[in-house]
Every structure is written in C-alpha cells, then in structure tokens.
Amino acid sequence: MSSLLRGPRRRVAVGLVVVALAAPSLPALGAVLDPGVPMVANARVSAERSRTPTAADTTITSPSEAAALAAEVARLTNVQRAAAGRAPLSVHALVTATATAHSEDQAAHQQMSHTGSDGSDAGTRLTRAGFVWGAWGENVAAGQRTADAVVTAWMNSDGHRAHMLSSSFTMIGIGVATGADGRRYWTMVLAA
C-alpha cells in the first residue's frame, strides 16, 4: 500500500448553486423552479490523508492567513480560466465581503450550505452588501485544508467547474473560515 493511502480518511464536501440571472426579459432562475425544491446541487468527494492532521492544517490563525488563502483560490481559478481560454476574473471587495460573511456563517453553524442561517441566498447577500448584480453563482465547500485542494475539488465537479469557467462572470470573491469543528468552510461567489 502506498503512503498516500495510509492514515485516517477525511470527508470533504463541495456544493454548487445554479446561476441566477436578472434581466428584464428573463425571469430569475429561481422563478422557474418549484418553490419547495431547493436550487442547490450538492456533490461530495472523499479524500485520503497521508498523515494525522495538525493544528496548522485545520486552523486559520489570522485574518491575513485567510486573506492569503482567498487570494490563492482566486489566482488558481484564473489559472484554470486561462487554460480554458477565458478572461480572468477580477477580485471585487463587495463580492469578497459577501463570500467571507457566508463562510463565517457556515463555520459558526458548522454546516455547509448555500442558504445562509437567515434563509438568504448569494444574490440576496450580494444585494445587501451593496453590489448591483446581473448574474451570480456560488460554490461552497468544507473540509479542504488548502487553496489547491478546494480548487481541485471544484474543478473535478462538472457543475462547479462550469461556474468557474463561465464567461457570464467577470468578478470573484472568496471567503474561508474555520469552524469550532476544525473544518475550513469555503465560499466562492462569482458575479457580473
């Protein structure tokens, strides 16, 4: 057995929400869905760890570390976009604040979800932050320790990858927060 297969198994999860478009001639995507049907498509992936986790693996020790992780996710996303022939996304302060607040909410409740603890979706959260959007998308994940791990998980999921490579979006914001359970909760908000 290789060393990559040794050690405890750790579950990580990723989530995706469909793009919502706002245009006078097009209804918001949520309007065409049955009211009782969630707009969330969840995907789960399992990852094997090669060693026992340490505090450095699971705890964000400072806001600057969270900011560095978020910047790296945005950079890696733009690397993937360039490889696919797409224009880079610009990091936007209000989109980042929206993503960060949602990651903090998920971490506080130790639950990965596209729905905020107040029942909000990413479009509502963007509007509350003062961002006027024409389209938005959101990817969420929980359990990945690094920026590379979360981008890899999203890129290995058809729906998440479609969001990340969509030419409908021009801006990105990334949030990451650690819950009392030691898991990192990631949010990527894409907007135009």
Side-chain angles (χ1 to χ4, degrees):
M1 179 179 275
S2 82
S3 63
L4 292 176
L5 298 177
R6 291 185 192 137
R9 292 179 185 243
R10 181 173 176 127
R11 293 202 79 153
V12 292
V14 294
L16 163 78
V17 71
V18 294
V19 177
L21 299 174
S25 61
L26 297 172
L29 188 54
V32 298
L33 298 175
D34 293 332
V37 178
M39 295 191 326
V40 177
N42 289 314
R44 297 204 180 263
V45 294
S46 294
E48 301 246 342
R49 301 224 16 201
S50 61
R51 60 188 171 78
T52 303
T54 65
D57 289 333
T58 58
T59 305
I60 295 174
T61 57
S62 69
S64 63
E65 183 180 1
L69 286 167
E72 182 64 0
V73 170
R75 185 190 74 75
L76 291 170
T77 300
N78 279 330
V79 166
Q80 294 294 329
R81 288 178 65 85
R86 302 290 192 277
L89 299 169
S90 299
V91 175
H92 190 282
L94 293 176
V95 179
T96 297
T98 300
T100 299
H102 188 57
S103 284
E104 290 170 351
D105 184 49
Q106 291 181 96
H109 293 89
Q110 298 176 31
Q111 180 178 0
M112 185 189 78
S113 176
H114 290 287
T115 304
S117 61
D118 62 356
S120 64
D121 64 18
T124 300
R125 294 187 293 269
L126 282 165
T127 300
R128 270 193 233 148
F131 184 84
V132 179
W133 53 270
W136 62 265
E138 180 180 72
N139 289 348
V140 298
Q144 295 82 2
R145 295 181 338 264
T146 65
D148 184 59
V150 75
V151 170
T152 297
W154 283 331
M155 288 300 292
N156 286 331
S157 163
D158 292 340
H160 295 93
R161 182 176 50 252
H163 268 168
M164 294 166 70
L165 301 180
S166 174
S167 57
S168 297
F169 302 122
T170 57
M171 288 164 262
I172 189 171
I174 306 296
V176 59
T178 303
D181 58 1
R183 295 175 77 198
R184 285 185 174 161
Y185 293 83
W186 303 83
T187 304
M188 171 187 285
V189 177
L190 304 147

